[in-house]
Amino acid sequence: MNAPHPAKVAGIDSMVPSPAHTVASAAPDASPVTGAAAPSAAVGPDAPGALLQDRLAGWVSDLTTLHELTERLVRTDTLSEALDEVLRAGAALVGARRGLVVLEPADGLGPDTTAGLGLGRADLGHLETVPRGCLSHGRILDGLPVGEDGVAEPDLLTDKSLDPRHREVAARLGYAASYALPLSVGGTAGTGPSNPGTAASAGSAGVPAGGPVVSAAGPRRLGAAVWFYDEPAEPGARPRHLAGLYARYAAQHLARLLEVERTRTAMATMAGELLPSRLPRVSGVQLAARHRTGPLGGGDWYDALPLPDAALGLAVGSVTGSGPSAVAAMGRLRASLRAYAVMEGEDPVAVLSDLELLLRLTEPARSATALFGYCEPALRRITLAGAGHSPPLLVGERRTEFVETSVSAPLGMLACWEAPSVELQAEPGETVLLYTDGLLHRTGDPADRAFARLHAAAAGVPRAVRHDPDAVAEHVLRTVLPGGKAEADSAEDVVLLAIRFA
């Protein structure tokens, strides 16, 4: 091959490694798409072999670039991360500095979201003042026909056919050109040419220039992406081709994350509807709760139920399994426990015994852990019974200790459940923490270390916020599960219920 020349893939940012090769100087009138010289430019007996090597080098370079970018994309786990990566990769491919991606699924089920690259909230607000039909990505979102290689607006400031408001906003934000691509899935049966005879004019990444074969159903729109140039500019044929391929791959990944996000939202909504919409106000105690669920939904629950004689029923529990069936079982179990608590709440052992019998009769394939407490706020006393559940944690000015409870099996594991109750006597200003095992399991530590971490987090609650159970619950949750573990996807639900005595 000849001496190295500048990279063939125009517009690729230096952040993406791209091997140098010789296509750019193969001939003065080389094709801007394939890099191949016109027949009249062939010189010498070795010219055809050199051109073939150059073309192969171009394909390898383009495929390497796409591989690097798609590898980074598939490592994203959330929609927000994926959208940010799409913007960065697209900017590198088309040689832009700023960009915007709008996720707006055509089925109307959401979620609708917007992400920007190099654009602040105020900039996004300015763009929203432009009539949607006047923006290139707005026309894509409205379902108007666009070319397969996107929509280029090479000189926004001098194009008098554009909406004046668009030109005004472009001048204010400091961009002079844009290039937009749709993000769509479905309707593409492959990457073969519509006419096999076009294979000779294949694009630089080895994909025939005839374009994808579109099914009769057509593509399903997810959204649109647009990148902005500081100066009048327009991406060449190769950057457009690579950006289009990348957008196709990115749309598939976004579609998968979209389904995960929808499932997570549906499960969280279902679980939220089965949990207390608000905690009761009872004289003598203050309550706060935290609940985190994974994308599939789980069976952890909590409850706080006013009972006769100014008492309060407190419960936390967990049903085995995940998904809609576990959420539904959790709802049935919680509703049953409420009924038993109203009838015999002053005897927590009887409440859990009734619940265990119901579980064996109606959910024979499931087991559950549960802890129920009959709270008397005026006496600052809680009578507790537990079934395979973690012990409560008492947090005060002079002590932070786990409450000793009797060892017992989970509900549904033995032919008949029975365990003695225990009494917890709190001092004024002390807080009792009830929690599910998911709080410990999400740490990833062995049980003894997880309990030690929880104890340390409770003991370290700042003195200034100990009067506020909501602040106590938040501090414990963030300390036990630092670095976003509380919000990260997990098969383990988390429930934390804080009860502070006046």
Side-chain angles (χ1 to χ4, degrees):
M1 296 178 64
N2 300 326
H5 286 267
K8 176 181 179 181
V9 185
I12 302 296
D13 191 273
S14 58
M15 63 185 279
V16 181
S18 178
H21 47 81
T22 63
V23 172
S25 61
D29 51 353
S31 165
V33 177
T34 65
S40 60
V43 178
D46 295 332
L51 292 177
L52 179 59
Q53 286 184 330
D54 288 340
R55 178 174 295 184
L56 290 173
W59 291 350
V60 170
S61 173
D62 294 345
L63 290 173
T64 300
T65 297
L66 284 177
H67 176 75
E68 292 281 344
L69 295 176
T70 53
E71 279 289 304
R72 290 213 304 256
L73 178 65
V74 298
R75 286 196 290 267
T76 59
D77 297 323
T78 64
L79 266 179
S80 60
E81 291 176 354
L83 294 175
D84 290 342
E85 181 58 36
V86 167
L87 282 174
R88 287 192 294 267
L93 287 170
V94 302
R97 189 172 65 88
R98 291 178 289 177
L100 172 71
V101 61
V102 181
L103 194 67
E104 190 177 293
D107 57 15
L109 300 179
D112 296 350
T113 186
T114 301
L117 173 68
L119 298 171
R121 288 182 177 270
D123 299 333
L124 298 178
H126 285 310
L127 284 168
E128 290 177 355
T129 65
V130 180
R132 178 163 157 146
C134 301
L135 297 167
S136 55
H137 66 282
R139 296 193 293 273
I140 293 174
L141 294 172
D142 288 339
L144 298 178
V146 297
E148 291 182 1
D149 60 349
V151 181
E153 293 177 326
D155 195 346
L156 293 168
L157 302 181
T158 61
D159 189 349
K160 302 301 181 183
S161 65
L162 296 178
D163 183 88
R165 178 59 183 167
H166 189 188
R167 295 202 305 271
E168 177 185 343
V169 169
R172 174 176 295 183
L173 299 185
Y175 67 87
S178 68
Y179 177 65
L181 278 172
L183 297 172
S184 303
V185 294
T188 53
T191 56
S194 56
N195 179 358
T198 61
S201 59
S204 61
V207 178
V213 178
V214 180
S215 68
R220 176 169 62 93
R221 190 202 72 224
L222 295 180
V226 59
W227 292 273
F228 302 112
Y229 298 90
D230 295 342
E231 302 292 337
E234 182 176 359
R238 173 169 287 110
R240 286 193 187 204
H241 184 67
L242 290 177
L245 287 175
Y246 178 80
R248 186 184 308 163
Y249 303 145
Q252 298 291 337
H253 184 64
L254 291 174
R256 288 190 289 270
L257 293 179
L258 182 66
E259 291 305 315
V260 172
E261 185 68 25
R262 287 177 173 178
T263 301
R264 179 190 294 109
T265 301
M267 290 297 100
T269 300
M270 184 185 302
E273 290 296 322
L274 295 174
L275 294 175
S277 57
R278 63 181 181 85
L279 294 170
R281 294 178 178 271
V282 178
S283 178
V285 293
Q286 296 173 284
L287 303 173
R290 292 293 185 274
H291 177 243
R292 300 288 187 270
T293 187
L296 297 180
D300 288 18
W301 88 90
Y302 67 94
D303 206 350
L305 175 67
L307 296 175
D309 301 324
L312 186 66
L314 303 169
V316 292
S318 176
V319 175
T320 56
S322 62
S325 63
V327 174
M330 174 267 285
R332 292 191 293 268
L333 214 61
R334 173 178 170 265
S336 301
L337 187 144
R338 282 193 144 213
Y340 300 144
V342 170
M343 293 187 294
E344 47 194 3
E346 69 279 0
D347 185 355
V349 172
V351 171
L352 292 189
S353 295
D354 292 343
L355 194 66
E356 196 272 340
L357 177 60
L358 178 73
L359 186 67
R360 282 195 291 115
L361 294 176
T362 62
E363 308 275 352
R366 291 190 187 276
S367 64
T369 66
L371 186 144
F372 178 75
Y374 181 76
C375 176
E376 300 169 275
L379 301 177
R380 293 189 296 277
R381 182 172 63 198
I382 303 178
T383 306
L384 293 163
H389 209 79
S390 299
L393 183 59
L394 184 61
V395 183
E397 292 290 338
R398 292 175 293 180
R399 59 176 176 170
T400 299
E401 58 189 34
F402 290 103
V403 178
E404 292 291 336
T405 57
S406 57
V407 178
S408 62
L411 303 176
M413 296 293 288
L414 299 177
C416 182
W417 176 88
E418 183 90 12
S421 61
V422 297
E423 282 192 0
L424 182 161
Q425 186 66 53
E427 298 295 330
E430 290 188 326
T431 299
V432 178
L433 297 178
L434 309 181
Y435 54 93
T436 58
D437 292 343
L439 178 64
L440 306 175
H441 293 163
R442 278 207 190 193
T443 64
D445 293 336
D448 55 344
R449 293 184 60 186
F451 276 113
R453 176 179 289 193
L454 174 59
H455 185 279
V461 175
R463 188 180 301 272
V465 301
R466 293 200 173 197
H467 66 281
D468 182 1
D470 193 75
V472 171
E474 187 68 17
H475 173 86
V476 170
L477 183 67
R478 301 296 177 187
T479 305
V480 174
L481 300 174
K485 286 184 179 180
E487 281 72 33
D489 289 346
S490 173
E492 299 288 346
D493 281 12
V494 173
V495 161
L496 181 62
L497 180 62
I499 306 101
R500 181 183 182 274
F501 290 92

